Coordinates of all heavy atoms in Angstrom, one line a residue:
Chain A
G2 N 17.5 69.2 29.3 CA 17.4 68.1 28.3 C 16.9 66.8 29.0 O 16.6 65.8 28.3
W3 N 16.8 66.8 30.3 CA 16.4 65.6 31.0 C 15.1 65.6 31.7 O 14.7 66.7 32.1 CB 17.5 65.3 32.1 CG 18.7 64.8 31.6 CD1 19.8 65.5 31.2 CD2 19.0 63.4 31.4 NE1 20.8 64.6 30.7 CE2 20.3 63.3 30.8 CE3 18.3 62.2 31.6 CZ2 20.9 62.2 30.5 CZ3 18.9 61.0 31.3 CH2 20.2 61.0 30.7
S4 N 14.4 64.5 31.7 CA 13.2 64.4 32.5 C 13.4 63.2 33.3 O 14.2 62.4 33.1 CB 12.0 64.3 31.6 OG 11.9 63.0 31.0
E5 N 12.5 63.0 34.3 CA 12.6 61.9 35.2 C 12.4 60.6 34.5 O 13.0 59.6 34.8 CB 11.6 62.0 36.4 CG 12.0 62.9 37.5 CD 12.1 64.4 37.1 OE1 11.3 64.8 36.3 OE2 13.0 65.1 37.6
V6 N 11.5 60.7 33.4 CA 11.2 59.5 32.7 C 12.5 59.0 32.0 O 12.9 57.8 32.0 CB 10.1 59.7 31.6 CG1 9.8 58.4 30.9 CG2 8.9 60.3 32.3
D7 N 13.3 59.9 31.4 CA 14.5 59.5 30.8 C 15.4 58.9 31.8 O 16.0 57.8 31.5 CB 15.3 60.8 30.3 CG 14.6 61.4 29.0 OD1 13.8 60.7 28.4 OD2 14.7 62.6 28.9
T8 N 15.5 59.5 32.9 CA 16.4 59.0 34.0 C 16.1 57.5 34.3 O 16.9 56.7 34.4 CB 16.3 59.8 35.2 OG1 16.6 61.2 34.9 CG2 17.3 59.4 36.3
V9 N 14.7 57.3 34.5 CA 14.4 55.9 34.9 C 14.7 54.9 33.8 O 15.2 53.9 34.0 CB 12.8 55.9 35.2 CG1 12.4 54.4 35.3 CG2 12.5 56.7 36.5
S10 N 14.5 55.3 32.5 CA 14.8 54.4 31.4 C 16.3 54.1 31.3 O 16.7 52.9 31.1 CB 14.1 54.8 30.1 OG 14.9 55.9 29.6
V11 N 17.1 55.1 31.4 CA 18.5 54.9 31.3 C 19.0 54.1 32.5 O 19.9 53.3 32.4 CB 19.4 56.1 31.1 CG1 19.3 56.6 29.7 CG2 19.1 57.2 32.1
L12 N 18.4 54.3 33.7 CA 18.8 53.6 34.9 C 18.4 52.1 34.7 O 19.2 51.3 35.1 CB 18.1 54.2 36.1 CG 18.5 53.5 37.4 CD1 20.0 53.6 37.7 CD2 17.6 53.9 38.6
L13 N 17.3 51.8 34.1 CA 16.9 50.4 33.9 C 18.0 49.8 32.9 O 18.4 48.7 33.1 CB 15.5 50.3 33.3 CG 14.4 50.6 34.3 CD1 13.1 50.5 33.6 CD2 14.5 49.6 35.4
G14 N 18.4 50.6 31.9 CA 19.5 50.1 31.0 C 20.7 49.8 31.8 O 21.4 48.8 31.6
G15 N 21.0 50.7 32.8 CA 22.2 50.5 33.6 C 22.0 49.2 34.4 O 23.0 48.4 34.5
F16 N 20.8 48.9 34.9 CA 20.6 47.7 35.7 C 20.9 46.4 34.8 O 21.5 45.5 35.2 CB 19.2 47.6 36.2 CG 19.1 48.2 37.6 CD1 18.5 49.4 37.9 CD2 19.7 47.5 38.7 CE1 18.5 49.9 39.2 CE2 19.6 48.0 40.0 CZ 19.0 49.2 40.2
A17 N 20.4 46.5 33.5 CA 20.6 45.4 32.6 C 22.1 45.1 32.5 O 22.6 44.0 32.5 CB 20.0 45.7 31.2
E18 N 22.9 46.2 32.4 CA 24.3 46.1 32.2 C 25.0 45.6 33.5 O 25.9 44.7 33.5 CB 24.9 47.5 31.8 CG 26.4 47.5 31.8 CD 27.0 47.0 30.5 OE1 26.3 47.0 29.5 OE2 28.2 46.7 30.5
A19 N 24.5 46.1 34.6 CA 25.2 45.8 35.9 C 24.8 44.4 36.3 O 25.5 43.7 37.1 CB 24.7 46.8 37.0
L20 N 23.7 43.8 35.8 CA 23.3 42.5 36.2 C 23.9 41.4 35.4 O 23.6 40.2 35.6 CB 21.7 42.4 36.2 CG 21.0 43.0 37.4 CD1 19.5 43.1 37.1 CD2 21.3 42.2 38.6
T21 N 24.8 41.7 34.4 CA 25.5 40.7 33.7 C 26.3 39.9 34.7 O 26.9 40.6 35.7 CB 26.4 41.2 32.6 OG1 27.3 42.2 33.2 CG2 25.6 41.9 31.5
P22 N 26.5 38.6 34.6 CA 27.3 37.8 35.6 C 28.6 38.5 35.8 O 29.1 38.5 37.0 CB 27.4 36.5 34.9 CG 26.3 36.4 33.9 CD 26.0 37.8 33.5
E23 N 29.3 38.9 34.8 CA 30.6 39.5 34.9 C 30.6 40.7 35.8 O 31.4 40.8 36.8 CB 31.2 39.8 33.6 CG 32.7 39.9 33.5 CD 33.2 40.5 32.2 OE1 32.4 40.5 31.2 OE2 34.2 41.1 32.3
N24 N 29.7 41.6 35.6 CA 29.7 42.8 36.4 C 29.2 42.6 37.8 O 29.7 43.2 38.7 CB 28.9 43.9 35.7 CG 29.6 44.5 34.5 OD1 30.8 44.5 34.4 ND2 28.8 45.1 33.6
L25 N 28.3 41.6 37.9 CA 27.9 41.2 39.3 C 29.1 40.7 40.1 O 29.3 41.0 41.2 CB 26.8 40.2 39.2 CG 25.4 40.6 39.2 CD1 24.4 39.4 39.1 CD2 25.1 41.5 40.4
L26 N 29.9 40.0 39.4 CA 31.1 39.4 40.0 C 32.1 40.5 40.5 O 32.5 40.5 41.6 CB 31.8 38.4 39.1 CG 33.1 37.8 39.7 CD1 32.7 36.8 40.8 CD2 33.9 37.0 38.6
W27 N 32.3 41.5 39.6 CA 33.2 42.6 40.0 C 32.6 43.4 41.2 O 33.3 43.8 42.1 CB 33.4 43.6 38.8 CG 34.2 43.0 37.7 CD1 33.9 42.9 36.4 CD2 35.5 42.4 37.9 NE1 34.9 42.3 35.7 CE2 35.9 42.0 36.6 CE3 36.4 42.2 38.9 CZ2 37.1 41.4 36.4 CZ3 37.6 41.6 38.7 CH2 37.9 41.2 37.4
C28 N 31.3 43.5 41.2 CA 30.6 44.2 42.3 C 30.8 43.5 43.6 O 31.2 44.0 44.6 CB 29.1 44.4 42.0 SG 28.2 45.4 43.1
L29 N 30.7 42.1 43.5 CA 30.8 41.3 44.7 C 32.3 41.4 45.2 O 32.5 41.6 46.4 CB 30.5 39.9 44.4 CG 30.5 38.9 45.6 CD1 29.5 39.3 46.6 CD2 30.3 37.5 45.1
I30 N 33.2 41.3 44.3 CA 34.6 41.4 44.7 C 34.9 42.7 45.3 O 35.6 42.8 46.4 CB 35.6 41.2 43.4 CG1 35.4 39.8 42.9 CG2 37.0 41.5 43.8 CD1 36.3 39.5 41.6
G31 N 34.3 43.7 44.7 CA 34.5 45.1 45.3 C 34.0 45.2 46.7 O 34.7 45.7 47.6
V32 N 32.8 44.8 46.9 CA 32.2 45.0 48.3 C 32.9 44.1 49.3 O 33.0 44.5 50.4 CB 30.7 44.7 48.3 CG1 30.0 45.8 47.4 CG2 30.3 43.3 47.9
V33 N 33.3 42.9 48.9 CA 34.0 42.0 49.8 C 35.4 42.6 50.2 O 35.7 42.8 51.4 CB 34.3 40.6 49.2 CG1 35.2 39.8 50.1 CG2 32.9 39.8 49.1
L34 N 36.1 43.1 49.2 CA 37.4 43.8 49.5 C 37.2 45.0 50.3 O 37.9 45.3 51.3 CB 38.0 44.2 48.2 CG 39.0 43.2 47.5 CD1 39.4 43.7 46.1 CD2 40.2 43.0 48.4
G35 N 36.1 45.8 49.9 CA 35.8 47.0 50.7 C 35.5 46.7 52.1 O 36.1 47.4 53.0
T36 N 34.7 45.7 52.4 CA 34.4 45.4 53.8 C 35.7 45.0 54.5 O 35.9 45.4 55.6 CB 33.4 44.2 53.8 OG1 32.3 44.6 53.0 CG2 32.9 44.0 55.2
A37 N 36.5 44.2 53.9 CA 37.7 43.8 54.5 C 38.6 45.0 54.9 O 39.1 45.1 56.0 CB 38.5 42.8 53.6
V38 N 38.9 45.9 53.9 CA 39.7 47.0 54.3 C 39.0 47.9 55.2 O 39.7 48.6 56.0 CB 40.2 47.8 53.0 CG1 41.0 47.0 52.1 CG2 39.1 48.5 52.3
G39 N 37.7 48.0 55.2 CA 37.0 48.8 56.2 C 37.2 48.3 57.6 O 37.3 49.0 58.5
V40 N 37.2 46.9 57.7 CA 37.3 46.3 59.0 C 38.7 46.5 59.6 O 38.9 46.8 60.8 CB 37.1 44.8 58.9 CG1 37.5 44.1 60.2 CG2 35.5 44.6 58.7
L41 N 39.7 46.5 58.7 CA 41.1 46.5 59.2 C 41.5 48.0 59.4 O 41.4 48.8 58.5 CB 42.1 45.9 58.1 CG 41.9 44.4 58.0 CD1 42.5 43.9 56.7 CD2 42.5 43.7 59.1
P42 N 41.9 48.3 60.6 CA 42.3 49.7 60.9 C 43.6 50.0 60.2 O 44.5 49.1 60.0 CB 42.6 49.7 62.4 CG 42.3 48.4 62.9 CD 42.1 47.4 61.8
G43 N 43.7 51.2 59.7 CA 44.9 51.6 59.0 C 44.8 51.5 57.5 O 45.4 52.1 56.7
L44 N 44.0 50.5 57.0 CA 43.7 50.4 55.6 C 42.4 51.1 55.3 O 41.4 50.8 56.0 CB 43.6 49.0 55.2 CG 44.5 47.9 55.7 CD1 44.4 46.7 54.9 CD2 45.9 48.4 55.6
G45 N 42.4 52.0 54.3 CA 41.1 52.6 54.0 C 40.7 52.3 52.6 O 41.5 51.7 51.8
S46 N 39.5 52.7 52.2 CA 39.1 52.4 50.8 C 40.0 53.2 49.9 O 40.2 52.8 48.7 CB 37.7 52.7 50.6 OG 37.2 53.8 51.4
A47 N 40.5 54.4 50.3 CA 41.4 55.1 49.4 C 42.6 54.3 49.0 O 43.0 54.1 47.9 CB 41.9 56.4 50.1
M48 N 43.3 53.7 50.0 CA 44.5 52.9 49.8 C 44.1 51.7 48.9 O 44.8 51.3 48.0 CB 45.1 52.4 51.1 CG 46.4 51.7 50.9 SD 46.8 50.5 52.1 CE 47.3 51.5 53.5
A49 N 43.0 51.0 49.3 CA 42.6 49.8 48.5 C 42.4 50.1 47.0 O 42.8 49.4 46.2 CB 41.3 49.2 49.1
I50 N 41.7 51.2 46.8 CA 41.4 51.6 45.4 C 42.7 51.9 44.7 O 43.0 51.5 43.5 CB 40.4 52.7 45.2 CG1 39.0 52.2 45.8 CG2 40.2 53.1 43.8 CD1 38.0 53.2 45.8
A51 N 43.6 52.7 45.4 CA 44.9 53.0 44.8 C 45.6 51.7 44.4 O 46.3 51.6 43.4 CB 45.7 53.8 45.8
L52 N 45.6 50.7 45.3 CA 46.3 49.5 45.0 C 45.7 48.7 43.8 O 46.3 48.0 43.1 CB 46.4 48.6 46.2 CG 47.3 49.0 47.4 CD1 47.1 48.1 48.6 CD2 48.8 48.9 46.9
L53 N 44.4 48.9 43.7 CA 43.7 48.1 42.7 C 43.8 48.7 41.3 O 43.8 48.0 40.3 CB 42.2 48.0 43.0 CG 41.7 47.0 44.0 CD1 40.3 47.2 44.3 CD2 42.1 45.6 43.6
V54 N 44.0 50.1 41.2 CA 44.0 50.7 39.9 C 45.0 50.1 38.9 O 44.6 49.7 37.8 CB 44.3 52.3 40.1 CG1 44.6 52.9 38.7 CG2 43.1 52.9 40.7
P55 N 46.3 49.9 39.4 CA 47.2 49.3 38.4 C 46.8 47.8 38.0 O 47.1 47.4 36.9 CB 48.5 49.3 39.1 CG 48.3 49.5 40.5 CD 47.0 50.2 40.6

Side-chain angles (χ1 to χ4, degrees):
Chain A
W3 282 91
S4 72
E5 279 68 33
V6 181
D7 291 335
T8 306
V9 170
S10 71
V11 286
L12 181 64
L13 287 179
F16 268 107
E18 172 85 19
L20 281 167
T21 57
E23 203 193 331
N24 286 338
L25 271 179
L26 182 68
W27 291 124
C28 187
L29 182 67
I30 295 176
V32 296
V33 169
L34 271 174
T36 308
V38 298
V40 166
L41 293 163
L44 316 193
S46 31
M48 188 210 282
I50 295 176
L52 286 172
L53 282 175
V54 169

